[in-house]
C-alpha cells in the first residue's frame, strides 16, 4: 500500500491551527502512541499560497521534517480542498451555484465549481508546486488529493457547468438527434434543435426529464473525476512511485466509485457510524466490503471518529471499547490501517467539539488511553497487513441503476432506496459470518457461488451474464435500458430468459401495509408476475395477489418479486452459527470475532489458534467480553471459509 511497514495508524494533523511550540509535543506523543502516518495540509491552500503564485513553504517544511524525525510518514494532501479567499474574490465564478441559482459564499470549505477552468488551473498549479517541493522529502509516503469529493459540493448549476455538461453530452451522443432519442424528448414537448439549448436540470416547474437526470448524475461524477485526474496526472509525472488516494465517503450516491477507484492506487474511506445506532456496525461493514471490493485488495480507513463527531443533530460519544472495536472491524473487512479525524482536538472552528486522538483534556483523558491502547493492538496485528479476503457471495451494486432508481418524482414508489435493499440481503449474511464482495453487473462473476442483485433497475444484455453459481435477482430489476427507457415488453427485460418470468404489473405497497407470502411478510413492494418456464418457490397469501408467485426459480436463477425482512432462506450457502451481535470475518487464516453486544458472548472456534491481541492460545468454546474482539491466527494452514 505504502512503504510504511505493518498497519497504518494516525490521523489528520492540522498543525497550522496551533503555535509551533505545540508541534514538538505533537510528534512526541504521536511516537508514544505508535502513530506511523499523519495526513497533512488538507485545508492548507490559503496558508501555502497566501497570494497568487507566492508560496510559503516554511511551516510545512518544518512539520514534515519533524514528522520524519519521529519516524512518522506523511499522507500529504495537495491542499486543494478549499480555494483561498484571494482566488474567490478575484474569480467569484469559482464558487458553486445551487439549483435555485444562488452562488454560494466563501466562509466554509470545499466550495468550488467542479467545472470551473479557473479553479482547475489554480488547483493543478498548486498540486504541481507541492509535488515539486516535496517530491524527495523522506516523509512523503502517499498523496491525498483534495478531500472527500462531493462532500458539500457535488454539483454546480452555473453557466460554466452548463457548458461542460453540453460538451460531455456531445461526446456521449454526438448529435442533438441522438440526445433527443436518448432523453425521449418527444414527451412533454422537450424536443431540442440544438445542443446549445440544453441546460443542467435546474429548478423547473414540475418533474424534470428522468433521462436527463440520470445523465446529470453521470456527468457530475465524471466532472469531479476529471478534476481529480488533472491533479493526479501532475503527481504521476513528478512522483511516479508515490501512491495516490482520495478519501471516499462510504457508499455514496453521488460518485460512481467503481470508476473512481480505477483511477486510484489506494482506495481509502472515511467512515462515521453513529454510536447511537446499535446496528450501525452492520451498515458500516457493508461499506467496508465495498471499499475492499473496489480494487479487490486491502484499502485504508483514512478517517474515523475516536468518539463523537460534531455534525449530527446530537453527537453521541463512543462508549468505552467501541472505538477499539470499530477500528478492529475495519481491519476485519480488509483495511490495512486505522486513521482518524483528527490528531489533536481543535480549540476553534466548526469541529472544536469533534473528538480527536488527543482530546482537549490531554493525556489524562479516557480518549488518550484509548489511543495508546489501539496503537498497541495495531502493532500486535502488524502481520495481517496485505492479507486478502475471499468471498463466495457477491452483491451487485451499479451506480447507473442506482441513479435511475432514485430519480425523484417519476417512479411507481419512491420507497425503494438502494442502500436499504442492499442491507436487507447483507445484514443476514453478515449475521452468519459470510464474507461478501460487492461487484458490478458486467464484470466476471463466475468465481462466486452466489450472486445477488438486490435491485438492478437499469440493465443491459451484458448484465449478470457471467454468473455460474446461484443467481438471485430482486424486484424492479431489468426495467429500463441505460437511457432510462423501459425495455420492450417490460420487466425483467434482458433478464427474462434467464429468470423465466414476466412482470405483469408492479404492485408497490403503501407505507405501513404488509403482504403475506409463504416465504414471510413482504413490505414496501410486490409484483404481479407470470412464470414462463420458471417454477414457483413461494406465493403471495391473501390480498389482491393471493396465490400468485412471489418467488420463482429457473434452474439456479431465482427472482424475488417483493421485499422480505430476511430473504436469505433461498440461498445455497451456509454460514456460522453466531450469537446475536457477534461478527465473524476472515482475512486469509486470520479469523476476526467481534462482539458488538453489551453482554459477553460464547463462540465455538472452528479451529484452534492464537489470539494476536492477547497472545493466548485458544480452542473450543470461548467467551468474548462485551465490545471486545479476538483476532485468531488459525493453526491450520488451510483456511476454512464460512
Ligand atoms: C470528514 C472530513 C474531515 C472532517 C470529518 C469530521 O467528512 O473529511 O475533514 O471534517 O469529516 O467528521
Amino acid at each position: 500500500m505504502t512503504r510504511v511497514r505493518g498497519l497504518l495508524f494516525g490521523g489528520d494533523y492540522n498543525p497550522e491551527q496551533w503555535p509551533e511550540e505545540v508541534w514538538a509535543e505533537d510528534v512526541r506523543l504521536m511516537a508514544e502512541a505508535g502513530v506511523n502516518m499523519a495526513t497533512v495540509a488538507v485545508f492548507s491552500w490559503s496558508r501555502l499560497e497566501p497570494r497568487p503564485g507566492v508560496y510559503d513553504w516554511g511551516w510545512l517544511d518544518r512539520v514534515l521534517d519533524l514528522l520524519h524525525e519521529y519516524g512518522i510518514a506523511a499522507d500529504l494532501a495537495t491542499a486543494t480542498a478549499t480555494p483561498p479567499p484571494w482566488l474567490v474574490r478575484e474569480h467569484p465564478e469559482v464558487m458553486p451555484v445551487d439549483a435555485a441559482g444562488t452562488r454560494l459564499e466563501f466562509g466554509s470549505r470545499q466550495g468550488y465549481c467542479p467545472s470551473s477552468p479557473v479553479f482547475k488551473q489554480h488547483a493543478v498549479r498548486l498540486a504541481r508546486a507541492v509535488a515539486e517541493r516535496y517530491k524527495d522529502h523522506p516523509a512523503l509516503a502517499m498523496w491525498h488529493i483534495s478531500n472527500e469529493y462531493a462532500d458539500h459540493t457535488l454539483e454546480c448549476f452555473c453557466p460554466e457547468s452548463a457548458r461542460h455538461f453540453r460538451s460531455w453530452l456531445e461526446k456521449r451522443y454526438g448529435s442533438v438527434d441522438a440526445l433527443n432519442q436518448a432523453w425521449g424528448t418527444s414527451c412533454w414537448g422537450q424536443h431540442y434543435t440544438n445542443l446549445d439549448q440544453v441546460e443542467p436540470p435546474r429548478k423547473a416547474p414540475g418533474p424534470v426529464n428522468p433521462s436527463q437526470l440520470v445523465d446529470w448524475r453521470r456527468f457530475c461524477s465524471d466532472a469531479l473525476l476529471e478534476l481529480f485526474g488533472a491533479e493526479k496526472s501532475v503527481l504521476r509525472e513528478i512522483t511516479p512511485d508515490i501512491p495516490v488516494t482520495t478519501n471516499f465517503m462510504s457508499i455514496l450516491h453521488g460518485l460512481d466509485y467503481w470508476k473512481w477507484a480505477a483511477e486510484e492506487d489506494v482506495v481509502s474511506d472515511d467512515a462515521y457510524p453513529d454510536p447511537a445506532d446499535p446496528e450501525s456496525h452492520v451498515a458500516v461493514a457493508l461499506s467496508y466490503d465495498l471499499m475492499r471490493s473496489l480494487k479487490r485488495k486491502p484499502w485504508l480507513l483514512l478517517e474515523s471518529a475516536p468518539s463523537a463527531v460534531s455534525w449530527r443533530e446530537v453527537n453521541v460519544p463512543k462508549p468505552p471499547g467501541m472505538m477499539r472495536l470499530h477500528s478492529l472491524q475495519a481491519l476485519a473487512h480488509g483495511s490495512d490501517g486505522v486513521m482518524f479525524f483528527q490528531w489533536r482536538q481543535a480549540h476553534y472552528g466548526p469541529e472544536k467539539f469533534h473528538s480527536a486522538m488527543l482530546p482537549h483534556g490531554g493525556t489524562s483523558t479516557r480518549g488518550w488511553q484509548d489511543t495508546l491502547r489501539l496503537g498497541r493492538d495495531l502493532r500486535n496485528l502488524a502481520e495481517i497487513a496485505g492479507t486478502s479476503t475471499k468471498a463466495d457471495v457477491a452483491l451487485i451494486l451499479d451506480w447507473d441503476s442506482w441513479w435511475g432508481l432514485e430519480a425523484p418524482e417519476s417512479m411507481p414508489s419512491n420507497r425503494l432506496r438502494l442502500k436499504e435493499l442492499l442491507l436487507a440481503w447483507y445484514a443476514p449474511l453478515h449475521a452468519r459470518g459470510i464474507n461478501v464482495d460487492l461487484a458490478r453487473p458486467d464484470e466476471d462473476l463466475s468465481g462466486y457461488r452466489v450472486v445477488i442483485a438486490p435491485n438492478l433497475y437499469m440493465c443491459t444484455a451484458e448484465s449478470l451474464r457471467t454468473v455460474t453459481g446461484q443467481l438471485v435477482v430482486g424486484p424492479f430489476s431489468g426495467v429500463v435500458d441505460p437511457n432510462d427507457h423501459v425495455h420492450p415488453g417490460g420487466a425483467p427485460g434482458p433478464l427474462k430468459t434467464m429468470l423465466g418470468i414476466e412482470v405483469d404489473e408492479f404492485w408497490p405497497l403503501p407505507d405501513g401495509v404488509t403482504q403475506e407470502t409463504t416465504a414471510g411478510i413482504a413490505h414496501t413492494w410486490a409484483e404481479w408476475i407470470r412464470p414462463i418456464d420458471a417454477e414457483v418457490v413461494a406465493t403471495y397469501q391473501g390480498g389482491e395477489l393471493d396465490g400468485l408467485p412471489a418467488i420463482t426459480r429457473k434452474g439456479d436463477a431465482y427472482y424475488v418479486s417483493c421485499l422480505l425482512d430476511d430473504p436469505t432462506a433461498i440461498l445455497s450457502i451456509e454460514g456460522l452459527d453466531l450469537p446475536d451481535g457477534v461478527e465473524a470475518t476472515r482475512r486469509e487464516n486470520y479469523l476476526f470475532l467481534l462482539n458488538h453486544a453489551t453482554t459477553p458472548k460464547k463462540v465455538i472456534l472452528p479451529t484452534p489458534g492464537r489470539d494476536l491481541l492477547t497472545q493466548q492460545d485458544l480452542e473450543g468454546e470461548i467467551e468474548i467480553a462485551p465490545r471486545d474482539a479476538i483476532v485468531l491466527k488459525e493453526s491450520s494452514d488451510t483456511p476454512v471459509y464460512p
Side-chain angles (χ1 to χ4, degrees):
M1 176 169 289
T2 67
R3 57 174 180 71
V4 182
R5 273 209 228 106
L7 296 169
L8 295 166
F9 179 45
D12 278 46
Y13 180 37
N14 294 304
E16 64 270 48
Q17 295 178 14
W18 298 92
E20 283 206 35
E21 308 84 81
V22 177
W23 301 356
E25 186 190 49
D26 281 330
V27 285
R28 183 176 59 72
L29 291 176
M30 283 183 193
E32 188 183 326
V35 164
N36 55 13
M37 183 178 267
T39 298
V40 220
V42 176
F43 297 106
S44 304
W45 191 342
S46 61
R47 295 292 299 270
L48 288 176
E49 191 183 1
R51 283 180 299 287
V54 177
Y55 300 102
D56 175 8
W57 303 116
W59 67 273
L60 188 53
D61 290 355
R62 293 194 291 286
V63 167
L64 291 177
D65 290 351
L66 253 182
L67 288 172
H68 181 61
E69 194 186 316
Y70 281 77
I72 300 155
D75 164 37
L76 181 57
T78 53
T80 52
T82 301
W86 57 258
L87 179 57
V88 175
R89 295 301 170 233
E90 262 178 40
H91 297 279
E93 75 276 15
V94 299
M95 291 300 282
V97 171
D98 70 11
T102 309
R103 192 175 290 284
L104 305 185
E105 183 45 277
F106 185 81
S108 180
R109 64 173 177 181
Q110 280 155 272
Y112 52 82
C113 161
S115 298
S116 161
V118 174
F119 177 76
K120 191 202 270 182
Q121 180 206 329
H122 283 82
V124 168
R125 185 173 76 173
L126 180 65
R128 179 174 290 283
V130 173
E132 287 292 359
R133 179 80 188 178
Y134 297 113
K135 61 177 191 273
D136 297 319
H137 198 287
L140 175 64
M142 183 157 73
W143 286 118
H144 179 297
I145 298 187
S146 189
N147 191 63
E148 289 190 341
Y149 282 100
D151 184 30
H152 306 298
T153 306
L154 162 64
E155 55 191 2
C156 171
F157 295 85
C158 75
E160 197 58 68
S161 299
R163 245 192 309 280
H164 196 195
F165 184 40
R166 283 191 288 270
S167 77
W168 183 94
L169 290 168
E170 185 152 20
K171 271 191 217 118
R172 185 174 174 89
Y173 296 113
S175 71
V176 71
D177 289 347
L179 177 131
N180 277 316
Q181 171 63 30
W183 284 12
T185 54
S186 306
C187 176
W188 286 5
Q190 293 173 0
H191 191 84
Y192 295 99
T193 49
N194 192 312
L195 278 178
D196 289 344
Q197 297 158 352
V198 177
E199 289 289 331
R202 298 199 185 89
K203 198 161 167 39
V208 170
N209 183 327
S211 306
Q212 179 182 3
L213 286 178
V214 171
D215 268 348
W216 176 248
R217 293 268 68 85
R218 291 176 175 131
F219 162 75
C220 289
S221 177
D222 284 358
L224 282 168
L225 185 55
E226 215 178 294
L227 199 54
F228 167 85
E231 287 196 39
K232 192 190 88 174
S233 53
V234 166
L235 302 177
R236 271 279 179 280
E237 175 199 322
I238 300 171
T239 55
D241 299 328
I242 301 293
V244 169
T245 194
T246 185
N247 42 350
F248 287 168
M249 286 186 284
S250 301
I251 301 189
L252 184 78
H253 179 253
L255 302 183
D256 180 345
Y257 280 155
W258 294 117
K259 255 183 150 176
W260 276 73
E263 303 299 321
E264 290 193 305
D265 299 313
V266 172
V267 167
S268 62
D269 191 37
D270 298 351
Y272 292 96
D274 187 353
D277 171 5
E279 292 303 309
S280 67
H281 63 281
V282 182
V284 84
L286 170 63
S287 60
Y288 290 165
D289 283 345
L290 171 65
M291 293 304 138
R292 188 193 64 244
S293 303
L294 288 171
K295 279 187 167 305
R296 298 289 194 279
K297 63 180 193 188
W299 56 282
L300 177 61
L301 178 65
L302 198 51
E303 281 185 29
S304 55
S307 187
V309 298
S310 54
W311 41 261
R312 291 196 171 98
E313 284 297 308
V314 177
N315 299 299
V316 172
K318 291 186 175 169
M322 188 183 271
M323 179 277 253
R324 174 174 180 264
L325 186 63
H326 283 190
S327 301
L328 296 173
Q329 188 191 16
L331 304 179
H333 288 269
S335 176
D336 266 1
V338 179
M339 309 269 295
F340 293 94
F341 182 85
Q342 59 179 331
W343 162 251
R344 185 184 274 276
Q345 192 166 21
H347 270 189
Y348 51 81
E351 296 185 311
K352 57 185 176 298
F353 299 122
H354 194 292
S355 59
M357 298 170 80
L358 180 60
H360 289 149
T363 53
S364 49
T365 52
R366 169 178 84 96
W368 176 247
Q369 291 312 312
D370 283 351
T371 300
L372 293 179
R373 181 174 187 200
L374 184 62
R376 286 194 295 273
D377 285 333
L378 295 183
R379 285 196 291 283
N380 287 332
L381 297 176
E383 65 188 75
I384 68 158
T387 54
S388 58
T389 304
K390 180 182 178 327
D392 284 330
V393 178
L395 266 190
I396 300 297
L397 168 56
D398 175 63
W399 263 268
D400 273 357
S401 189
W402 190 0
W403 291 330
L405 177 72
E406 294 190 13
E409 301 187 299
S410 58
M411 297 309 237
S413 163
N414 286 338
R415 297 289 182 266
L416 293 183
R417 315 302 293 175
L418 191 73
K419 273 200 218 173
E420 288 166 24
L421 302 183
L422 288 168
L423 211 51
W425 286 94
Y426 183 83
L429 293 166
H430 175 266
R432 276 141 63 196
I434 296 171
N435 280 1
V436 175
D437 274 351
L438 280 289
R440 283 173 287 123
D442 53 353
E443 71 178 272
D444 181 2
L445 298 163
S446 60
Y448 294 102
R449 279 173 53 198
V450 177
V451 174
I452 306 164
N455 167 267
L456 197 56
Y457 166 70
M458 192 174 280
C459 159
T460 69
E462 277 71 53
S463 304
L464 308 175
R465 288 293 144 186
T466 56
V467 177
T468 52
Q470 185 184 22
L471 170 67
V472 180
V473 176
F476 204 44
S477 292
V479 182
V480 296
D481 68 12
N483 293 327
D484 204 26
H485 295 196
V486 173
H487 284 293
L495 305 175
K496 203 175 283 185
T497 313
M498 207 188 294
L499 298 171
I501 58 119
E502 282 174 341
V503 178
D504 197 295
E505 207 166 349
F506 305 123
W507 215 273
L509 303 173
D511 292 344
V513 172
T514 54
Q515 163 73 54
E516 272 188 46
T517 81
T518 52
I521 306 283
H523 59 90
T524 313
W525 185 271
E527 286 170 8
W528 184 307
I529 59 173
R530 260 193 326 269
I532 312 166
D533 52 359
E535 25 172 314
V536 177
V537 173
T539 53
Y540 290 108
Q541 300 283 291
E544 304 294 342
L545 301 175
D546 188 36
L548 292 173
I551 303 178
T552 59
R553 137 180 216 187
K554 178 180 170 185
D556 272 339
Y558 288 69
Y559 185 65
V560 181
S561 66
C562 53
L563 297 188
L564 297 165
D565 283 337
D566 179 358
T568 54
I570 54 170
L571 298 184
S572 49
I573 190 147
E574 302 241 319
L576 298 173
D577 189 10
L578 295 167
D580 266 5
V582 172
E583 175 174 7
T585 313
R586 276 176 194 284
R587 290 179 72 164
E588 296 182 8
N589 59 325
Y590 300 92
L591 175 65
F592 287 74
L593 289 165
L594 309 154
N595 181 8
H596 294 279
T598 49
T599 50
K601 297 284 173 169
K602 290 201 162 76
V603 177
I604 300 172
L605 298 178
T607 29
R610 166 163 286 226
D611 176 15
L612 295 181
L613 293 168
T614 57
Q615 298 299 324
Q616 273 180 356
D617 291 328
L618 301 175
E619 65 176 303
E621 190 181 63
I622 52 140
E623 187 174 278
I624 314 176
R627 293 207 187 97
D628 202 356
I630 282 167
V631 182
L632 194 75
K633 180 178 190 178
E634 293 181 328
S635 313
S636 146
D637 287 341
T638 331
V640 192
Y641 291 105

